[in-house]
Amino acid sequence: MDLKSGYPFWAVSNGLMQAFPPLASDHRCDVAVLGGGITGALIADELAQHGFDVAVLEQRDIGWGSTAASTALLQYEIDTHMVDLAKRYGEDDAALAYLACAGAIDQLREVAAPWRDVGFARNKSLYYASRHRDVRPMEEEHALRVRHGLEVELLSADRVREDYGFEAAAALLSTQAAQVDPYRLTHRLLQRLHRQGTAVFDRTRVIDLHTTSRGVTLRTVTGFSVRAAHLVVAAGYASQHWLRQNVARNRSSYAVISDPLPDEQLGFLRDTLLWETARPYLYARSTADGRLLLGGEDDAVDIPAKRDARVEKKARTLLKRLHHLFPEWEVTPAFSWAGTFAETTDGLPFFGPHTQWGPRVHFAMAYGGNGITYSMLGAGLLRALIERRKHPLWPLFSFERLER
């Protein structure tokens, strides 16, 4: 299935950075990773750097699926507020999830550090109240985060107006956020792994899995097989193809990016991610080359042709919403696009085995608005499971929580 529409900026600006060979013979390894996007790359890197013989298989070109369409806002905030997560799973688990995501930003910085060209930058995050009725929940959210040691400041309407130049009833300001070029980071990680001896196969479509007590065999459409002790399914929303149980719903999100803008026009967006309480929410950030990137207008459409037809209209809506906040801004759009993603009912990801396949098949479903942050956490969680070690996030991020 086509995962994106229009002209995703990362794919346009970077092009096809490198083609890896397709699988052309049978292969053996410790861990096979099915999916060559940012999630698969982070997991493969974590495993390979800790001594596992890894093979990555991608049915398209590397990074050419949802990764190329991602707007890559790296945040600790989960789509489900900490207050609501606490009501559902308890305050301790809610705090565990939020604090882990905050720590993942630092982990991603370390992962991206070897390359100056992946667009990684630390940011602030400004989360503003779209409506006056959102202020009270925001105050409760602020109090709970502060109680658990997260550095976040509650801003009044006057403070938002004075410091940021737009009208909002209130806002939460945090410093634990970042941004990255996800497509380029994916390629840099897998290029390094390939040089180090890790097998990376693109244009390799897996059509069948067979599990035993000792391992997993993957069969490709061309008739070759990969035998591995463990399999990690990191194929984005397409991972649901391998499960009979419906664990998430597909959504499409839309984005538009401007021509390069002068620093004085970007203003606070040079180092701050902007997003809102309304659902679906508008979000904005800048890029390393001074462009303004807007995203949002999510809907339930996941049929490529219908999604394609909506891209330009959605882009115009995003620009109108920006103009409502900043009437004086003149923004010329350069590219617009859409991508299909998946989201869970509680905003949390799924990592680990499912009873349908047994303990040798691990899923990496980093679903939600902060999928890259989840992927970083999932890399460590899955390594712990494969090494038969306990991990504090396992109960909360596993399929077992569906039974709570």
Side-chain angles (χ1 to χ4, degrees), residues 212-257:
T212 69
S213 60
R214 292 189 172 187
V216 185
T217 300
L218 295 74
R219 186 167 60 86
T220 71
V221 70
T222 52
F224 299 113
S225 65
V226 175
R227 298 179 187 274
H230 296 271
L231 167 65
V232 174
V233 181
Y237 86 85
S239 297
Q240 296 179 87
H241 164 77
W242 298 101
L243 287 177
R244 291 188 296 268
Q245 183 182 19
N246 184 21
V247 299
R249 60 178 181 173
N250 293 340
R251 306 278 292 174
S252 288
S253 188
Y254 301 81
V256 60
I257 196 165

Side-chain angles (χ1 to χ4, degrees), residues 170-311:
L172 291 178
L173 177 65
S174 65
T175 58
Q176 191 75 353
Q179 63 186 46
V180 75
D181 177 337
Y183 179 81
R184 185 166 283 267
L185 180 58
T186 297
H187 269 272
R188 291 292 182 239
L189 286 167
L190 293 179
Q191 286 168 349
R192 182 177 67 182
L193 289 177
H194 191 60
R195 289 194 302 268
Q196 294 172 345
T198 294
V200 180
F201 305 107
D202 64 15
R203 291 155 291 148
T204 299
R205 183 183 170 204
V206 173
I207 59 172
D208 186 54
L209 305 178
H210 177 70
T211 61
T212 69
S213 60
R214 292 189 172 187
V216 185
T217 300
L218 295 74
R219 186 167 60 86
T220 71
V221 70
T222 52
F224 299 113
S225 65
V226 175
R227 298 179 187 274
H230 296 271
L231 167 65
V232 174
V233 181
Y237 86 85
S239 297
Q240 296 179 87
H241 164 77
W242 298 101
L243 287 177
R244 291 188 296 268
Q245 183 182 19
N246 184 21
V247 299
R249 60 178 181 173
N250 293 340
R251 306 278 292 174
S252 288
S253 188
Y254 301 81
V256 60
I257 196 165
S258 74
D259 287 329
L261 298 171
D263 284 351
E264 57 268 23
Q265 181 168 350
L266 284 173
F268 72 90
L269 287 174
R270 287 174 297 176
D271 65 356
T272 303
L273 313 179
L274 179 68
W275 54 306
E276 64 171 329
T277 56
R279 295 294 186 270
Y281 53 78
L282 171 74
Y283 53 88
R285 74 167 177 96
S286 62
T287 62
D289 60 346
R291 298 172 186 265
L292 179 63
L293 194 163
L294 303 174
E297 284 298 300
D298 298 9
D299 59 32
V301 172
D302 67 352
I303 300 172
K306 290 185 177 181
R307 187 191 59 211
D308 292 353
R310 296 186 176 202
V311 170

Side-chain angles (χ1 to χ4, degrees), residues 52-70:
F52 289 92
D53 179 15
V54 178
V56 178
L57 300 92
E58 166 58 49
Q59 67 176 344
R60 301 174 184 82
D61 290 286
I62 291 298
W64 208 246
S66 295
T67 294
S70 171

Side-chain angles (χ1 to χ4, degrees), residues 77-375:
E77 291 98 337
I78 295 168
D79 284 345
T80 302
H81 288 163
M82 191 175 181
V83 168
D84 296 325
L85 207 60
K87 292 175 182 176
R88 188 161 187 162
Y89 297 120
E91 191 170 319
D92 289 345
D93 276 347
L96 175 65
Y98 267 72
L99 290 168
C101 287
I105 304 297
D106 293 328
Q107 292 177 265
L108 284 163
R109 178 184 59 185
E110 294 177 9
V111 167
W115 305 285
R116 293 185 177 183
D117 65 350
V118 298
F120 184 90
R122 292 302 297 261
N123 291 126
K124 300 173 186 175
S125 173
L126 186 67
Y127 180 50
Y128 69 92
S130 309
R131 300 153 299 209
H132 284 281
R133 67 174 180 266
D134 296 333
V135 174
R136 182 59 183 274
M138 184 171 280
E139 291 172 342
E140 295 174 355
E141 183 73 10
H142 172 257
L144 185 59
R145 292 189 196 178
V146 169
R147 184 156 73 240
H148 288 279
L150 290 164
E151 295 182 8
V152 60
E153 185 179 1
L154 180 64
L155 306 185
S156 66
D158 288 342
R159 178 81 179 277
V160 174
R161 185 184 310 109
E162 292 168 5
D163 291 359
Y164 298 99
F166 69 96
E167 298 293 330
L172 291 178
L173 177 65
S174 65
T175 58
Q176 191 75 353
Q179 63 186 46
V180 75
D181 177 337
Y183 179 81
R184 185 166 283 267
L185 180 58
T186 297
H187 269 272
R188 291 292 182 239
L189 286 167
L190 293 179
Q191 286 168 349
R192 182 177 67 182
L193 289 177
H194 191 60
R195 289 194 302 268
Q196 294 172 345
T198 294
V200 180
F201 305 107
D202 64 15
R203 291 155 291 148
T204 299
R205 183 183 170 204
V206 173
I207 59 172
D208 186 54
L209 305 178
H210 177 70
T211 61
T212 69
S213 60
R214 292 189 172 187
V216 185
T217 300
L218 295 74
R219 186 167 60 86
T220 71
V221 70
T222 52
F224 299 113
S225 65
V226 175
R227 298 179 187 274
H230 296 271
L231 167 65
V232 174
V233 181
Y237 86 85
S239 297
Q240 296 179 87
H241 164 77
W242 298 101
L243 287 177
R244 291 188 296 268
Q245 183 182 19
N246 184 21
V247 299
R249 60 178 181 173
N250 293 340
R251 306 278 292 174
S252 288
S253 188
Y254 301 81
V256 60
I257 196 165
S258 74
D259 287 329
L261 298 171
D263 284 351
E264 57 268 23
Q265 181 168 350
L266 284 173
F268 72 90
L269 287 174
R270 287 174 297 176
D271 65 356
T272 303
L273 313 179
L274 179 68
W275 54 306
E276 64 171 329
T277 56
R279 295 294 186 270
Y281 53 78
L282 171 74
Y283 53 88
R285 74 167 177 96
S286 62
T287 62
D289 60 346
R291 298 172 186 265
L292 179 63
L293 194 163
L294 303 174
E297 284 298 300
D298 298 9
D299 59 32
V301 172
D302 67 352
I303 300 172
K306 290 185 177 181
R307 187 191 59 211
D308 292 353
R310 296 186 176 202
V311 170
E312 292 307 315
K313 182 178 179 180
K314 294 279 190 174
R316 290 194 296 270
T317 300
L318 290 169
L319 289 167
K320 287 179 182 178
R321 294 182 67 185
L322 177 74
H323 185 72
H324 178 75
L325 285 179
F326 305 102
E328 71 281 7
W329 284 21
E330 293 294 333
V331 177
T332 302
F335 302 102
S336 57
W337 68 93
T340 296
F341 304 89
E343 65 178 15
T344 59
T345 57
D346 56 11
L348 296 178
F350 292 108
F351 289 104
H354 189 279
T355 53
Q356 178 182 330
W357 290 101
R360 296 280 178 171
V361 177
H362 305 268
F363 286 84
M365 293 177 161
Y367 296 161
N370 50 349
I372 298 175
T373 307
Y374 282 154
S375 297

Side-chain angles (χ1 to χ4, degrees), residues 8-17 181 183-184 289 291 335:
F9 176 67
W10 313 120
V12 171
S13 62
N14 292 306
L16 287 172
M17 292 180 63
D181 177 337
Y183 179 81
R184 185 166 283 267
D289 60 346
R291 298 172 186 265
F335 302 102

